[in-house]
Amino acid sequence: MDRISIIKPDDWHSHLRDKDALETTVPAAMRCFKRCIIMPNLSPPVTSAESIKKYRDSILKHRPSDSDWTPLMVMYLTDNTSIECIRTAHNQGLIFGCKYYPAGATTNSASGVTDLNGLDAVFEIMQELGIPLQIHGEVTDSSVDIFDREKIFIDRHLTQIKHRFPELRIILEHITTEHSVEFVRDNDKYIAATITPQHLLFNRNDMLAGGIRPHLFCLPILKRDLHQNALIKAATSGEKKFFLGTDSAPHPRANKESACGCAGCFSHHAAIELYAQAFERAGALDQLEKFASINGAEFYGLEKNSELISLVRDPWQVPKQMDYGDSYLVPLAAGHTLNWRLET
Ligand code: DOR
Ligand code: ZN
């Protein structure tokens, strides 16, 4: 098989940043996706109808007039998010979801939530209005080992949220462990998960054995191969609860190659090719369309896209770096050979 066509995919989790970065990130997001959820962790974060509208407009300035690529905007929850704030954004058709970052968990999460119990009224109104909750599922407790933070978050917090708001649609973003796969799989239809290309293609040995590779550092951090294998199984299973979310998160090269490097992998340069690589390795290319183009739309209650994209077998080497305004990006799998290329 040297050519495959699938329904045009959507990215249910991406970071485009703002200002000059949009010159690079918007065209990259449009490359193979029709719709992208745009995460709101800017500095300052996107916390109101007004700031969402402003951010959406700045993104759309970079979309060519003949394109129907669609950014789906998300509101950043803080300890001070009010139900009025959510209602206002919802009534104006501005929000596709609300993102929960535990304060301090990751890039620009300082304004995130410190006390989950304080969000009861917010979760209540989201459940009532049918607004999905996108969760960065890690505890920030410094006594918890970084490799265990996702599991402890589920055990301590997610089970509670699920119990108290049984019909709130929840997406556990960028899952990284076998435990998360099982939690999502064994739960009801209101909970699903996204999976990134880096967590399918790499494990912590790739990042740390024989030298530290900062461009593979992301959060939640890559885990051991047992977990990578559980994620591959889930993504390639065709199960409706697992779908594509790249978590493409650009940082200038110098900010990653630093004494305290930033978390995040940029993957929009070759998003669908990276997933195709992982699916082919697992002998499951026939399941790529469900994961990339069907399951997410179904969970979010949207129509599937009507266009198709094609991938051709034509091995190519991912560039070692790319321009990013007046700095550079090292893209995910830089220097590696990918077997599939998006046909344009
Ligand atoms: O690795 C990550 N990078 N994980 C996140 O949760 C945020 C993201 C970013 O914005 O850089
Ligand atoms: Zn993210």
Side-chain angles (χ1 to χ4, degrees):
M1 196 171 44
D2 289 327
R3 187 168 184 274
I4 52 172
S5 294
I6 59 170
I7 296 169
K8 192 165 193 180
D10 304 297
D11 187 353
W12 303 105
H13 186 134
S14 65
H15 299 264
L16 301 189
R17 315 304 189 201
D18 58 355
K19 305 193 182 106
D20 294 348
L22 296 172
E23 280 169 32
T24 304
T25 57
V26 176
M30 291 171 52
R31 188 178 166 271
C32 69
F33 297 118
K34 173 75 182 284
R35 300 169 285 207
C36 291
I37 287 188
I38 314 298
M39 287 299 163
N41 59 332
L42 304 182
S43 177
V46 184
T47 53
S48 65
E50 205 187 343
S51 60
I52 290 172
K53 200 163 174 312
K54 204 168 140 223
Y55 185 32
R56 192 186 61 182
D57 289 347
S58 67
I59 291 169
L60 289 173
K61 279 197 189 120
H62 295 267
R63 180 181 73 172
S65 53
D66 60 350
S67 164
D68 58 359
W69 173 80
T70 309
L72 302 169
M73 308 308 288
V74 162
M75 183 185 282
Y76 183 116
L77 298 176
T78 73
D79 288 337
N80 301 318
T81 305
S82 65
I83 57 175
E84 290 72 33
C85 183
I86 300 215
R87 261 192 208 287
T88 305
H90 177 75
N91 290 343
Q92 295 179 36
L94 285 170
I95 47 169
F96 190 69
C98 293
K99 178 73 186 271
Y100 163 75
Y101 286 107
T106 187
T107 308
N108 294 338
S109 63
S111 315
V113 177
T114 63
D115 176 17
L116 256 174
N117 293 323
L119 285 183
D120 277 8
V122 163
F123 291 159
E124 190 74 54
I125 191 84
M126 288 175 66
Q127 178 172 256
E128 184 192 317
L129 299 174
I131 302 170
L133 173 67
Q134 287 98 3
I135 292 188
H136 183 113
E138 286 192 287
V139 292
T140 52
D141 184 340
S142 59
S143 68
V144 177
D145 189 273
I146 188 164
F147 290 99
D148 298 332
R149 289 181 178 190
E150 186 170 305
K151 177 177 189 302
I152 306 283
F153 179 87
I154 292 175
D155 295 348
R156 271 191 204 162
H157 302 297
L158 188 51
T159 45
Q160 287 298 315
I161 301 175
K162 192 68 208 105
H163 182 68
R164 303 226 300 274
F165 306 96
E167 296 192 4
L168 175 62
R169 264 181 303 158
I170 295 174
I171 305 87
L172 187 56
E173 300 290 344
H174 39 52
I175 57 168
T176 65
T177 71
E178 182 179 43
H179 175 256
S180 295
V181 167
E182 284 168 2
F183 178 82
V184 170
R185 181 181 280 143
D186 294 346
N187 228 298
D188 62 20
K189 65 175 183 181
Y190 293 100
I191 182 156
T194 55
I195 304 179
T196 77
Q198 61 267 29
H199 292 101
L200 294 176
L201 288 168
F202 301 104
N203 61 54
R204 68 193 196 182
N205 272 8
D206 298 303
M207 179 173 58
L208 296 170
I212 186 162
R213 296 183 194 79
H215 298 287
L216 286 181
F217 175 57
C218 65
L219 288 170
I221 197 161
L222 298 180
K223 308 294 192 299
R224 58 168 72 240
D225 63 350
L226 167 163
H227 298 293
Q228 179 191 9
N229 291 334
L231 297 172
I232 293 170
K233 258 193 155 162
T236 60
S237 66
E239 287 169 78
K240 289 171 182 296
K241 283 168 167 265
F242 302 104
F243 44 83
L244 186 157
T246 63
D247 200 17
S248 182
H251 290 276
R253 178 172 196 152
N255 293 359
K256 292 203 52 86
E257 296 173 9
S258 143
C260 185
C262 295
C265 302
F266 178 71
S267 55
H268 272 177
H269 60 297
I272 196 63
E273 292 94 326
L274 289 160
Y275 282 110
Q277 188 83 8
F279 275 63
E280 183 175 46
R281 250 194 218 168
L285 266 178
D286 58 330
Q287 299 293 338
L288 181 63
E289 185 178 55
K290 283 193 199 126
F291 176 79
S293 318
I294 296 176
N295 295 350
E298 259 181 29
F299 182 80
Y300 275 112
L302 299 179
E303 291 292 314
K304 286 175 293 203
N305 296 320
S306 49
E307 310 92 309
L308 298 179
I309 61 157
S310 297
L311 290 162
V312 285
R313 181 186 293 286
D314 179 17
W316 61 289
Q317 205 189 26
V318 177
K320 295 215 166 115
Q321 73 173 16
M322 301 167 49
D323 291 340
Y324 187 44
D326 51 15
S327 59
Y328 299 98
L329 279 180
V330 176
L332 184 64
H336 291 233
T337 298
L338 297 180
N339 292 337
W340 294 87
R341 184 194 286 279
L342 180 68
E343 199 174 70
T344 47

